[in-house]
Amino acid sequence: MSDPHHQSDRAPGDEGEGQSGVAKGILGYGIGLVLAAGLTIVSFGVAAGYGWIYQPGIPVMLLVLAVAQMGVHLVFFLHITTGPDNTNNVLALAFGTLIVALIVIGSLWIMANLNHMNMSPGEMARHMGGF
Amino acid sequence: MSAAAADPHNLRQGHGHGPRGNAAGPDEHGHFDKRIITGYGFWIFLLSDIVMFSALFATYAVLAHATAGGPSGKQIFDLQNVALETGFLLLSSFACGMAAIASEQKNLLWTEIGLLITGLLGFAFLVLELREFADLIAHGNGPTRSAFLSAFFTLVGCHGLHVGCGLLWLGTMMAQIWAKGFRAETVRRLMCFNLFWHALDIIWVALFTIVYLLGAGQ
């Protein structure tokens, strides 16, 4: 409780207790690089259609891999963690994510709806037939 | 413990830590370390930038199939080129992190080397992207061809513009560190540049997945 480090704030990008090592810092970035590179390679492999996974599952798999890689970047490169000294940064990130989700999902939803309303009867029939 | 109690906010800063080692909490007047405030403010800016990108992503997702009889993504995307771009940007981000570690140690040479590698890889990324754009336009697939291509050029071009501006900023930082050394304000600017560069890489992850990989699969 008398240790000020545990109640303080941390700038995004700052690592924990400094100095203790160049080696530790390089290791952190190295792990991030390896994980990110691995996820990227898997992403491109899945997209190339080598038949690694069930074909219709590819888009979902790609999105999951992308979210995982963004997480790796946030933790190992931007040093946004769940530590108590990172609360403000994480809250700002959560708010940003909320807005991004609202914009993207909201736009897709509204525009899909509009497209549906604007269909000519012929298009409508084709569309329904597609199901 | 008694030392900490006598100096709970580490105001004397007697531990010989680097610019980040001293206590980051507010002092007795409620003032935070300027590094924390700058970093937090810049983080808010980056998030607002990401929100702007999300609008471009939403536009692209809505228009992705509006090809107006023109080529679809599957026909024009060269995934090998994209993989190369991705590799350059990822390594550039890593080099930027190495430069950050060197700057904490106030090592001028390695900081400059790290930043130089960051810049060269970023430049290589930009060259590949511009070559792709020039190639598309030369084949009549410029931004005026279809709504899909308008959205594509806007989204990818906006990211490329960010990388280009980042390169200018990077050159400025290298010159400042070379001329003025590791002053507190210069180190803060370098920290902001680091955040900016890593954030651009995060946006690129979303971009290559949603635009290129999903586009090529359809």
Side-chain angles (χ1 to χ4, degrees):
Chain A
M1 66 177 184
S2 56
D3 182 357
H5 289 287
H6 287 291
Q7 310 146 3
S8 54
D9 275 307
R10 190 189 291 181
D14 271 358
E15 287 172 274
E17 313 296 307
Q19 216 67 341
S20 67
V22 178
K24 212 174 129 199
I26 294 177
L27 183 70
Y29 279 99
I31 294 172
L33 179 68
V34 169
L35 286 176
L39 286 165
T40 302
I41 291 169
V42 173
S43 277
F44 276 84
V46 165
Y50 294 134
W52 287 356
I53 67 164
Y54 180 54
Q55 194 79 17
I58 286 180
V60 176
M61 182 70 185
L62 286 176
L63 290 177
V64 169
L65 286 167
V67 170
Q69 191 173 345
M70 287 187 213
V72 167
H73 282 250
L74 281 173
V75 171
F76 290 98
F77 291 166
L78 282 153
H79 305 298
I80 302 293
T81 62
T82 51
D85 49 0
N86 236 311
T87 317
N88 286 335
N89 302 334
V90 172
L91 277 178
L93 174 67
F95 182 67
T97 313
L98 172 71
I99 301 295
V100 167
L102 284 177
I103 291 178
V104 173
I105 297 172
S107 299
L108 285 172
W109 186 6
I110 290 174
M111 294 310 290
N113 217 335
L114 275 178
N115 276 336
H116 195 73
M117 301 292 192
N118 279 332
M119 274 182 198
S120 65
E123 280 177 311
M124 184 77 98
R126 232 181 305 137
H127 186 71
M128 300 308 248
F131 279 113
Chain B
M1 280 303 135
S2 64
D7 185 15
H9 298 301
N10 205 5
L11 291 175
R12 289 177 211 136
Q13 300 183 358
H15 300 310
H17 286 181
R20 60 170 45 175
N22 43 32
D27 62 19
E28 55 200 355
H29 308 296
H31 296 300
F32 277 90
D33 184 348
K34 194 154 184 198
R35 187 179 167 84
I36 306 290
I37 298 176
T38 309
Y40 187 59
F42 199 76
W43 179 231
I44 301 281
F45 159 73
L46 285 176
L47 288 166
S48 72
D49 210 30
I50 288 173
V51 166
M52 184 210 68
F53 266 103
S54 78
L56 296 180
F57 271 108
T59 311
Y60 176 82
V62 166
L63 297 176
H65 297 289
T67 51
S72 68
K74 195 182 175 80
Q75 290 162 301
I76 53 170
F77 293 154
D78 174 10
L79 285 192
Q80 239 171 357
N81 189 53
V82 179
L84 215 52
E85 283 178 274
T86 307
F88 283 151
L89 210 56
L90 182 58
L91 287 175
S92 179
S93 225
F94 179 74
C96 195
M98 295 299 103
I101 291 175
S103 74
E104 278 155 32
Q105 304 300 319
K106 301 199 187 300
N107 186 323
L108 182 64
L109 180 67
W110 280 106
T111 305
E112 292 282 355
I113 290 176
L115 290 176
L116 184 67
I117 296 173
T118 306
L120 289 177
L121 287 166
F123 186 72
F125 167 86
L126 211 53
V127 168
L128 283 182
E129 185 163 298
L130 289 175
R131 220 180 52 180
E132 184 195 10
F133 281 4
D135 201 43
L136 283 175
I137 293 170
H139 286 83
N141 298 324
T144 54
R145 181 62 190 85
S146 65
F148 154 63
L149 281 166
S150 300
F152 168 79
F153 274 92
T154 309
L155 174 56
V156 182
C158 192
H159 179 266
L161 193 64
H162 275 75
V163 174
C165 293
L167 286 178
L168 289 179
W169 186 3
L170 174 67
T172 316
M173 289 317 305
M174 287 177 70
Q176 277 190 358
I177 290 172
W178 189 264
K180 299 177 182 175
F182 294 98
R183 289 191 198 170
E185 66 264 29
T186 318
V187 171
R188 276 202 302 275
R189 284 173 204 144
L190 191 62
M191 173 184 76
C192 289
F193 173 75
N194 252 287
L195 292 172
F196 181 72
W197 205 247
H198 293 318
L200 280 187
D201 206 12
I202 292 186
I203 292 172
W204 180 253
V205 171
L207 214 154
F208 81 70
T209 303
I210 291 171
V211 174
Y212 290 105
L213 295 184
L214 287 177
Q218 270 156 8

